[in-house]
Amino acid sequence: MIVPALPEAVAAELSSFFDSRRASTTRVDPLFCSAVAELERFVLRGGKRVRPAFAWWGWRGAGGDPSGTDAPAVLRACAALELIQACALVHDDLMDASATRRGHPTVHVAFARHHQEQGWRGDSDRFGLAASVLLGDLALAWADDMLRGAGLGAPALQRCVPVWEAMRTEVLGGQYLDVLTEVRGDESPEAALRTARFKTAAYTVERPLHLGAALAGAPEDVVDAYRAFGTDVGVAFQLRDDLLGVFGDPAVTGKPAGDDLREGKRTLLLSFALRTADEKDSPAGAALRSGLGRDLEPSEVDELREHLVQLGAVTAVEHRIAELTQRGLAALDAAPVEPTARAELHAMARAATERTS
């Protein structure tokens, strides 16, 4: 089985999985089936399929054969990562009160609007909250179902389950750290990097690669290299996301400009800026602190952006992204990874850390 267009192949596996669940959701109630259709649209409407790609190429780099009889099952197992991603995004949008995702209403907003349009009883926003929590939970449960039902051989499944279980714990722990650092007002670089590691890096690059290695039965030196590469590139991926969350073009990112400032995100970008402002006794520090977490006007967003640039925080984060990427690539290059997969992982690392959306 050769997979010439991995994102399309992953989307096809996800579509097939949703098709396989339609009868069971209809048996519960056709209205539940209609609600699940919103989750299906959310999962299938876009995304770069980064996580399945890292898992697939991790498997290939550790000796997986795309022409082998186990390749279809491996592809389905890799595709299940998109349901973990769906859970994280649906819940993250709710926690951040985000209105849009990929240019469309977020799940909680879509259900709140549906409640209003139907003239149902009660509070629309509360209904949207409840529906999005439940659909995010369903995505997480179905991710497990998709992995375990992928058709993997017993040894491969036994090897990958501990990796999968660790990844689930880490992403939920990272989400908790994200909201915790916000409410505590923790401005330290250490807190920002710890959150980036577990909220994003672990389930975006590190564990998908580890999963691919486990599926292939890779030796420890390959696993160790993948995890070092995955941690560094995954954190760099999140740092790029932090920059886009403040400076990104809404037409490209699908989210409002300056959204991370309005949400009060305690990112490394902000940490660098506040530390420099405090060292210089700059009034920019007070302006940044007072602006975080408020419903800012576009002109106020522009002002805070200028402070971040003038304080050198943007340059510092760009340097950190470059350092992490180079260190991760060096770890990958030191391991016995299949050359085609190594080249693909190099390209994916560059794409993940230099992207504009």
Side-chain angles (χ1 to χ4, degrees):
M1 174 189 178
I2 302 296
V3 182
L6 192 59
E8 289 79 4
V10 168
E13 292 294 342
L14 291 164
S15 181
S16 177
F17 178 83
F18 276 105
D19 288 344
S20 74
R21 290 299 187 268
R22 196 157 290 118
S24 63
T25 59
T26 301
R27 279 196 298 272
V28 173
D29 193 290
L31 291 175
F32 178 54
C33 187
S34 296
V36 173
E38 180 64 29
L39 175 64
E40 181 176 2
R41 286 190 290 272
F42 181 84
V43 171
L44 296 180
R45 88 170 31 121
K48 304 175 185 69
R49 314 303 184 198
V50 168
R51 292 152 189 86
F54 274 115
W56 174 262
W57 285 105
W59 174 72
R60 290 280 308 273
D65 180 3
S67 301
T69 57
D70 59 340
V74 169
L75 177 63
R76 282 191 289 273
C78 294
L81 287 162
E82 283 297 286
L83 293 176
I84 297 276
Q85 165 74 338
C87 168
L89 292 182
V90 169
H91 287 170
D92 197 44
D93 287 340
L94 175 62
M95 290 184 289
D96 292 342
S98 297
T100 60
R101 166 74 63 179
R102 298 170 183 159
H104 296 270
T106 50
V107 171
H108 66 278
V109 168
F111 276 93
R113 289 180 182 175
H114 186 57
H115 181 283
Q116 290 175 328
E117 291 164 357
Q118 296 300 313
W120 289 338
R121 297 171 57 194
D123 183 79
S124 297
D125 289 338
R126 187 171 180 82
F127 176 75
L129 180 155
S132 63
V133 167
L134 293 169
L135 288 177
D137 289 350
L138 182 64
L140 184 60
W142 278 1
D144 281 5
D145 292 351
M146 191 172 182
L147 173 74
R148 295 177 190 276
L152 298 168
L157 185 61
Q158 186 175 17
R159 290 192 301 267
C160 76
V161 163
V163 182
W164 183 267
E165 291 174 347
M167 178 183 63
R168 288 181 313 183
T169 300
E170 288 161 355
V171 67
L172 294 172
Q175 290 280 19
Y176 179 73
L177 290 177
D178 190 32
V179 297
L180 182 66
T181 54
E182 186 177 326
V183 298
R184 292 178 63 193
D186 193 336
E187 300 170 355
S188 67
E190 294 77 17
L193 287 170
R194 186 167 55 250
T195 299
R197 162 77 194 281
F198 290 109
K199 180 187 174 184
T200 301
Y203 92 106
T204 300
V205 188
E206 179 191 354
R207 292 299 190 182
L209 282 167
H210 192 181
L211 185 71
L215 289 168
E220 284 302 312
D221 56 347
V222 172
V223 172
D224 290 345
Y226 276 173
R227 295 194 66 184
F229 167 78
T231 298
D232 285 342
V233 172
V235 171
F237 176 95
Q238 179 58 52
L239 298 185
R240 175 62 60 200
D241 204 54
D242 294 342
L243 288 172
L244 292 172
V246 176
F247 295 95
D249 180 354
V252 179
T253 65
K255 299 190 72 174
D259 228 21
D260 280 5
L261 297 173
R262 295 185 180 91
E263 293 162 10
K265 293 286 186 184
R266 261 57 184 184
T267 61
L268 189 66
L269 174 69
L270 180 68
S271 178
F272 281 161
L274 292 175
R275 184 177 62 185
T276 301
D278 291 345
E279 289 171 352
K280 295 182 175 181
D281 197 24
S282 168
L288 285 166
R289 289 186 176 98
S290 66
L292 285 175
R294 291 198 300 108
D295 187 14
L296 301 166
E297 296 294 328
S299 60
E300 294 175 302
V301 170
D302 289 341
E303 181 182 346
L304 295 184
R305 284 169 163 171
E306 185 62 26
H307 289 318
L308 292 169
V309 172
Q310 293 299 324
L311 289 167
V314 174
T315 298
V317 170
E318 289 285 7
H319 285 164
R320 182 64 64 91
I321 289 171
E323 289 170 0
L324 287 168
T325 304
Q326 288 303 318
R327 189 172 72 184
L329 290 172
L332 179 68
D333 288 344
V337 175
E338 190 276 329
T340 299
R342 184 197 310 279
E344 188 66 28
L345 290 171
H346 265 260
M348 289 171 62
R350 296 295 184 191
T353 59
E354 298 172 4
R355 72 192 196 283
T356 58
S357 65

